[in-house]
Amino acid sequence: MTFSAADNRYESMPYRRVGRSGLKLPAISLGLWHNFGDDKPFEVQRAILRRAFDLGVTHFDLANNYGPPYGAAETNFGRHFKDDFRPYRDELIISSKAGYDMWPGPYGNFGSRKYLLASLDQSLARMGLDYVDIFYSHRPDPETPMEETMGALDQAVRSGRALYAGISSYTPEQTLEAGRILKELGTPLLIHQPSYSMLNRWTENGTPNLYEALDQVGAGSIAFSPLAQGMLTDRYLKGVPSDSRAAQDKSLDEGMITDENLDRIRGLNRIAEGRGQSLAQMAIAWILREQGKGSSVTSALVGASSVRQLEDTVSASSNLDFTAEELHAIDEFAVESDINLWKQK
């Protein structure tokens, strides 16, 4: 059936300005890290994407090696775009990234100009796009000069292959340096994509912390893994289900499901119940809470394996307010839990 987007798609989703740019993102964005490779039925993918857009989710986030296999998520998204979303291209924010392993040899990884720009060209071809809205350096490269990596992002924007430049998993100090270089090149840093959740609070630490660094350079942030790879859901309240990510070793090590973390998850779940939310909904709302000047997240990047899960998650945007008492109670359980898989070694 031909897709026709809902007329009321912009009526309930909040949109937030990205740093000091002119761009706004939905409070909740959809990530295609999982569930859009060749291991997921195409019709299920289609239903999730259509429903997301109807709910006001205008931002779809990808990376070159999302799958399985590598590249499959972008290829599949390209089919969905052609079939359903091409008429709505100017209503969409589509992002991609490069920085992790993609193809064999010395030119298919990390942050060289060679890799980043070749990867971007491949991503555009897979998705059938003329440009992406945001192109990210997916992670810092300890061997490539920052000037080269940021220069590649600048070239991507100047060539018209991307509208904005972003970074992911950079430390506050690296973020300041990246922002400085990009500003000198004339392509401001738009956004940082860090991992961040109630059990992974590294972005709040340091002087400056990541949000303070982003405020200095005028960039926004979009938090990935806000549900701690699925830990901040009701799936682990009674242990590790056999069909869970932890049991299948999919981006969540079963060793992370410790007794201490389970106690924290259960404590947070009790608070969520008192708010009339699921644990996942509260975890998303907490990510999006006001933290003070220079310390607020622009958008929460979520995944979804079904339309029902998507709807449950997106509904978190209808209750983003916390009392001081709730935040104090949450802080008792929302502590660093050593689950940051993307921490620089």
Side-chain angles (χ1 to χ4, degrees):
M1 295 178 59
T2 301
F3 175 58
S4 180
D7 291 337
N8 64 347
R9 59 188 177 276
Y10 294 117
E11 293 182 3
S12 58
M13 175 65 70
Y15 296 86
R16 296 179 166 195
R17 189 169 302 281
V18 188
R20 291 193 287 272
S21 77
L23 185 69
K24 292 183 178 181
L25 290 182
I28 297 175
S29 300
L30 182 64
L32 278 63
W33 179 18
H34 298 291
N35 305 309
F36 288 86
D38 290 347
D39 58 341
K40 192 73 171 182
F42 192 77
E43 291 303 317
V44 173
Q45 299 176 25
R46 169 174 286 163
I48 293 169
L49 289 168
R50 287 181 170 185
R51 185 58 177 148
F53 191 58
D54 280 346
L55 291 171
V57 177
T58 55
H59 179 208
F60 298 148
D61 178 79
L62 299 105
N64 55 358
N65 63 355
Y66 288 176
Y70 288 174
E74 289 185 332
T75 298
N76 290 331
F77 177 76
R79 293 175 60 193
H80 295 297
F81 177 79
K82 178 181 177 182
D83 293 345
D84 292 337
F85 295 104
R86 187 174 296 280
Y88 305 100
R89 177 65 183 97
D90 293 336
E91 298 182 46
L92 290 172
I93 302 298
I94 301 170
S95 59
S96 192
K97 301 177 285 291
Y100 284 93
D101 177 56
M102 183 58 192
W103 62 79
Y107 314 122
N109 209 336
F110 277 113
S112 71
R113 183 186 300 271
K114 169 73 171 176
Y115 172 49
L116 294 181
L117 295 178
S119 179
L120 176 55
D121 287 341
Q122 292 180 20
S123 291
L124 293 174
R126 282 190 289 268
M127 292 187 285
L129 300 176
D130 296 324
Y131 68 94
V132 292
D133 295 274
I134 308 170
F135 183 54
Y136 288 90
S137 166
H138 207 166
R139 62 170 169 173
D141 185 340
E143 297 183 351
T144 299
M146 183 84 75
E147 289 80 3
E148 179 176 341
T149 300
M150 294 306 109
L153 296 183
D154 173 68
Q155 184 174 341
V157 172
R158 291 183 182 277
S159 68
R161 287 175 280 180
L163 299 186
Y164 298 97
I167 57 176
S168 180
S169 298
Y170 280 53
T171 67
E173 295 76 19
Q174 290 169 330
T175 297
L176 290 172
E177 179 69 0
R180 180 191 65 78
I181 295 169
L182 284 170
K183 182 179 180 179
E184 291 178 354
L185 291 170
T187 298
L189 176 63
L190 175 79
I191 195 166
H192 187 297
Q193 188 176 127
S195 62
Y196 181 47
S197 73
M198 287 177 163
L199 302 179
N200 177 20
R201 301 181 66 168
W202 72 272
T203 56
E204 302 173 22
N205 301 327
T207 305
N209 68 29
L210 181 62
Y211 301 114
E212 292 165 342
L214 290 171
D215 187 54
Q216 288 186 42
V217 302
S221 67
I222 177 169
F224 75 89
S225 289
L227 301 183
Q229 295 93 263
M231 290 173 64
L232 292 170
T233 67
D234 60 7
R235 290 181 64 77
Y236 297 99
L237 294 175
K238 297 181 180 179
V240 181
S242 60
D243 62 343
S244 65
R245 286 193 197 177
Q248 299 175 24
D249 195 26
K250 291 185 176 180
S251 77
L252 178 59
D253 188 335
E254 189 170 355
M256 295 179 181
I257 313 296
T258 63
D259 290 341
E260 292 83 358
N261 282 342
L262 287 174
D263 286 342
R264 293 163 183 159
I265 293 166
R266 290 165 183 147
L268 291 168
N269 186 64
R270 290 192 293 271
I271 299 170
E273 289 175 342
R275 284 173 50 84
Q277 289 182 311
S278 68
L279 175 56
Q281 288 169 339
M282 185 180 77
I284 296 295
W286 181 87
I287 285 287
L288 295 168
R289 75 198 185 283
E290 287 296 327
Q291 300 182 53
K293 185 179 183 300
S295 299
S296 297
V297 172
T298 310
S299 183
L301 185 59
V302 305
S305 59
S306 67
V307 169
R308 180 178 178 181
Q309 183 185 29
L310 172 76
E311 292 173 338
D312 180 74
T313 303
V314 170
S315 66
S317 65
S318 65
N319 184 11
L320 301 179
D321 295 326
F322 290 85
T323 66
E325 291 75 17
E326 286 173 330
L327 291 173
H328 179 74
I330 287 170
D331 278 341
E332 178 182 349
F333 303 102
V335 299
E336 188 60 45
S337 302
D338 195 27
I339 64 167
N340 186 3
L341 302 177
W342 304 272
K343 183 178 180 181
Q344 297 179 39
K345 305 302 183 182

